[in-house]
């Protein structure tokens, strides 16, 4: 079920392509753009693989970062991209000693690892590919590569960051898109307002988080994390299931407590807003909830679980309200 869910999201979430130029407002499958991580897949570049393990054979993230010579943000990205795999222990997610030996034994360590973790913005990315910033932005909006990070600048504008290695791979794969006129189909899609950057980032981030866990309720919570409160309420009618999903819902981005001024901007990025994308995530969530309910029910208060749903009798010893006294109701 989880694999099918991931495949459906992948197939329906492809950006514009010069091959399928039917309806410009509905991007077709891409013939070459780099794909974001696939929601529903249990391993790969979406994030560290989850597994059972003991803390005695592993180290905390801080110690792992120091052992690999990485800064905290570099290590965080290494985990997200699957460069460093993690295990789940009684002390939380950690890095196994065996994984540290594997990473440090790779050819070219640490320079090659640091190069794969390099991220660039629009200006640096355009310089890297030898194209204008405008062309790189158009290609990113068309969904040919997925942002790996973003931040909000002082003007409350979203600044997207891309893995440098993925940009160079794209350039080698589709050099014809780096020069000449923008293909008419892409131009029409962009003129209609298409912008796949936020959706591609969400897809990548969801894939990373899904790869960290095999627990069905946690997986459902990951999918619920990109839906707004209204969409979540219409997708999950049971209030206790919604509460359980909210309790398990992971943070898609880390924000500082003082980031209130940009909270609305961040919320707009992490929340699916296109009707097509919303439908895909709602369908994936419905599938994940089927798995979760089969595994175990969502927790409920003991009194609620024991009492029939249509039992509206007053609990013994509970005083009647003033209105009940006046009307003679019991």
């Amino acid at each position: 079920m989880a694999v099918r869910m991931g495949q459906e999201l992948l197939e329906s979430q492809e950006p514009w392509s010069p091959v399928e130029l039917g309806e410009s407002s509905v991007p077709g499958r891409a013939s070459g753009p780099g794909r974001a991580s696939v929601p529903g897949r249990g391993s790969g570049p979406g994030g560290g693989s989850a597994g059972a393990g003991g803390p005695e054979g592993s180290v905390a993230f801080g110690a792992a970062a120091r052992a690999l010579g990485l800064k905290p943000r570099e290590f965080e990205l290494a985990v997200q991209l699957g460069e460093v795999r993690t295990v789940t222990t009684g002390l939380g997610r950690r890095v196994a000693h065996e994984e540290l030996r594997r990473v440090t034994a790779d050819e070219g360590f640490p320079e090659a690892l640091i190069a794969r973790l390099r991220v660039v913005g629009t200006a640096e990315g355009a310089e890297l590919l030898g194209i204008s910033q405008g062309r790189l932005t158009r290609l990113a909006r068309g969904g040919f590569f997925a942002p790996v990070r973003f931040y909000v600048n002082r003007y409350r504008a979203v600044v997207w960051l891309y893995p440098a290695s993925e940009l160079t791979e794209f350039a080698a794969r589709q050099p014809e898109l780096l020069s000449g006129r923008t293909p008419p189909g892409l131009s029409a899609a962009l003129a209609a307002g298409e912008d796949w950057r936020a959706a591609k980032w969400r897809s990548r981030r969801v894939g990373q988080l899904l790869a960290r866990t095999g627990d069905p309720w946690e997986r459902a919570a990951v999918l619920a994390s990109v839906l707004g409160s209204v969409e979540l309420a219409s997708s999950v009618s049971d209030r206790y299931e919604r509460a359980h999903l909210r309790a398990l819902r992971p943070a898609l981005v880390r924000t500082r407590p003082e980031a209130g001024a940009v909270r609305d901007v961040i919320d707009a990025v992490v929340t699916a807003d296109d009707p097509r994308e919303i439908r895909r995530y709602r369908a994936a969530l419905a599938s994940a909830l089927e798995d979760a309910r089969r595994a175990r029910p969502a927790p409920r208060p003991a009194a609620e679980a024991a009492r029939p749903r249509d039992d509206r009798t007053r609990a013994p010893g509970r005083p009647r309200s003033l209105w009940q006294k006046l009307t003679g109701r019991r």
Side-chain angles (χ1 to χ4, degrees), residues 125-133 135-136 139 177-179:
E127 182 179 0
L128 177 66
L129 301 187
I131 61 178
S132 68
Q133 296 184 35
R135 180 174 286 270
L136 187 137
L139 292 171
L177 291 176
L178 302 182
S179 60

Side-chain angles (χ1 to χ4, degrees), residues 121-127 130-142 145 162 177-178 180 182 186 190 197:
T122 301
E124 193 175 1
E127 182 179 0
I131 61 178
S132 68
Q133 296 184 35
R135 180 174 286 270
L136 187 137
T137 298
R138 290 193 294 274
L139 292 171
R141 287 181 59 195
F145 32 80
Y162 309 90
L177 291 176
L178 302 182
T182 302
L186 176 57
L190 297 179
R197 289 175 295 182

